[in-house]
Amino acid sequence: MAITRRQLLRWTTVLGTATTLVGGVHLYSWWDTPPESPFVNLNTLEASIVRVIGGAAFPSGETINLDGYSANLDRFFDTLLSSMTTENRLLLKLLLEAIERATIPTHGSFFTSLSAPEQQACIETWLQSSNALFRGAIQSLVVLLGMGYTAHPTASTHLERYFRCGFGV
């Protein structure tokens, strides 16, 4: 069966329109989800994503026996979001949703479903991405979570010997 140019254009238009509509509906479902208890700004999925990103960005080591997952960075991040503008809060929540789905094309699974070594490899790769916007977004998120990680009592007691600015106090 031969396909004519008109048929090709018709199918391209139909598929493009359908993809745009489905994508728009899906994006809208991410955009402004209501918070869930005990959080003020995050829902439970977003909180889970924050904890997993924290665990991947800050693995436990010999010096500091605390990984970002166990540091409850979801609570810190939720509180931090309260001090931001509505626009920034929504954009950071959208970034969390995008990170959760960013591994589907490469790993065939959501970010939170990957093994810890795969999650760490993804974070490392993203932090060195050639796409400056994506790299900057990941770096910013890791820096924000790093503030909570270094302020955690377990981490700050180890850091106080290197910094005399109130760590561990």
Side-chain angles (χ1 to χ4, degrees):
M1 176 179 146
I3 188 166
T4 65
R5 198 170 94 194
R6 287 184 189 266
Q7 289 173 324
L8 178 64
L9 288 173
R10 188 177 304 130
W11 279 108
T12 303
T13 303
V14 168
L15 290 175
T17 303
T19 302
T20 302
L21 288 174
V22 169
V25 168
H26 196 64
L27 184 63
Y28 182 76
S29 71
W30 293 355
W31 185 252
D32 194 16
T33 58
E36 296 174 324
S37 185
F39 302 103
V40 176
N41 298 293
L42 299 173
N43 62 37
T44 53
L45 173 64
E46 294 162 343
S48 172
I49 296 167
V50 169
R51 286 184 75 141
V52 171
I53 293 169
F58 304 102
S60 180
E62 291 180 25
T63 304
I64 301 176
N65 189 17
L66 174 72
D67 62 70
Y69 187 88
S70 302
N72 292 328
L73 295 178
D74 53 341
R75 306 291 178 128
F76 170 81
F77 194 72
D78 185 60
T79 303
L80 183 65
L81 287 176
S82 293
S83 65
M84 295 183 177
T85 64
T86 303
E87 178 181 81
N88 288 338
R89 185 173 33 255
L90 290 174
L91 288 172
L92 280 169
K93 290 175 64 163
L94 183 61
L95 176 62
L96 294 175
E97 297 282 354
I99 289 170
E100 173 69 347
R101 287 156 179 82
T103 55
I104 291 174
T106 57
H107 293 79
S109 182
F110 291 109
F111 181 75
T112 55
S113 299
L114 300 177
S115 68
E118 289 175 316
Q119 292 166 349
Q120 291 171 2
C122 286
I123 292 290
E124 186 62 34
T125 301
W126 296 340
L127 287 171
Q128 298 175 21
S129 172
S130 60
N131 182 326
L133 291 175
F134 186 64
R135 182 181 64 241
I138 298 298
Q139 287 172 342
S140 298
L141 184 59
V142 169
V143 165
L144 291 174
L145 294 177
M147 291 169 31
Y149 180 78
T150 57
H152 191 280
T154 302
S156 65
T157 56
H158 292 284
L159 295 171
E160 72 179 331
R161 66 184 101 157
Y162 303 109
F163 304 98
R164 302 199 191 281
C165 60
F167 275 111
V169 177

